[in-house]
Amino acid sequence: MPKHREQKAHQVLDQLALTFDQLLAIRFAVNVVIATWIVWNSLQLLNDTNPIWAIASMVAASDPQPEEARRMFKARLTNVFVGCIVGLLFLILGGAKEWMLPVALGITVLISSFIIRIKTMWRQAPITAAVVIASGIMHGSSQIGIVYGLHKVAEVIFGCFVGLLVSWLMSKFWIIQPPDKTPNEKSKN
């Protein structure tokens, strides 16, 4: 960032008496506003009547710092895929039976915990498996469950992608630098 813009940003920060973390929180709020608008309107154009999964996923995959947003995106998508695959396998192999739900969720947790081992967002795997299997149970059909489950997973992926994209773009347009180290911290290095 040019020195002039950086100085101006620090002046604004000082005038508003905001800490670095507070400024990040404001950028996060702006990210969420923009990304929510994009997700909501995009899915409304596609006649998706309930974009809540996409919006929740967008918020979960967003962060005012793009490195953290990338990490959350990767973790969430990985665990969504694990949950989706396990849920689909249970629906295909076992049908839309209620007793399948707790067994599938337990197995999903074990796969996510012991094989995938991405602890961030690891709860997403059983949540996704539950969405896929429960939709089959609620509709009394494995086929409907598969279609509904895949639709919800697509919404999650879309929401995650929008959250990551907006986080990255905002970090390019609204550059926030961490405060300089204090003189004591500089002398320790």
Side-chain angles (χ1 to χ4, degrees), residues 71 75 79 112-113 116-124:
R71 189 177 72 76
N79 282 301
S112 181
S113 301
I116 303 302
R117 298 189 316 205
I118 298 178
K119 191 166 182 167
T120 303
M121 293 292 194
W122 69 318
R123 290 170 186 88
Q124 187 61 52

Side-chain angles (χ1 to χ4, degrees), residues 10-185:
H10 285 292
Q11 288 172 347
V12 170
L13 190 66
D14 290 340
Q15 288 174 347
L16 297 174
L18 295 173
T19 67
F20 174 71
D21 288 338
Q22 289 170 328
L23 195 55
L24 282 178
I26 292 169
R27 185 165 77 187
F28 181 52
V30 172
N31 289 1
V32 168
V33 167
I34 292 168
T36 300
W37 185 87
I38 292 168
V39 169
W40 182 270
N41 287 297
S42 297
L43 293 179
Q44 290 297 309
L45 285 173
L46 297 172
N47 291 322
D48 190 319
T49 58
N50 188 4
I52 193 63
W53 283 97
I55 291 171
S57 298
M58 174 275 299
V59 172
S62 296
D63 197 274
Q65 297 177 308
E67 309 79 40
E68 185 65 16
R70 228 179 343 271
R71 189 177 72 76
M72 297 299 283
F73 178 80
K74 179 184 173 195
R76 188 164 179 92
L77 282 188
T78 300
N79 282 301
V80 161
F81 283 123
V82 168
C84 183
I85 290 167
V86 172
L88 290 173
L89 285 174
F90 268 80
L91 275 179
I92 291 166
L93 299 175
K97 297 178 179 80
E98 287 183 25
W99 68 267
M100 300 287 275
L101 185 60
V103 174
L105 297 188
I107 289 172
T108 305
V109 167
L110 293 174
I111 291 170
S112 181
S113 301
F114 287 104
I115 297 171
I116 303 302
R117 298 189 316 205
I118 298 178
K119 191 166 182 167
T120 303
M121 293 292 194
W122 69 318
R123 290 170 186 88
Q124 187 61 52
I127 290 169
T128 304
V131 167
V132 171
I133 295 168
S135 60
I137 294 169
M138 295 305 296
H139 292 96
S141 165
S142 294
Q143 289 177 330
I144 291 174
I146 290 167
V147 170
Y148 185 81
L150 288 175
H151 178 82
K152 291 301 166 199
V153 169
E155 287 179 346
V156 167
I157 292 168
F158 177 67
C160 287
F161 176 74
V162 171
L164 177 67
L165 182 64
V166 169
S167 294
W168 179 76
L169 287 172
M170 286 298 289
S171 75
K172 300 298 179 199
F173 290 107
W174 182 1
I175 299 169
I176 301 174
Q177 297 290 332
D180 293 332
K181 293 181 180 178
T182 63
N184 289 342
E185 290 174 329

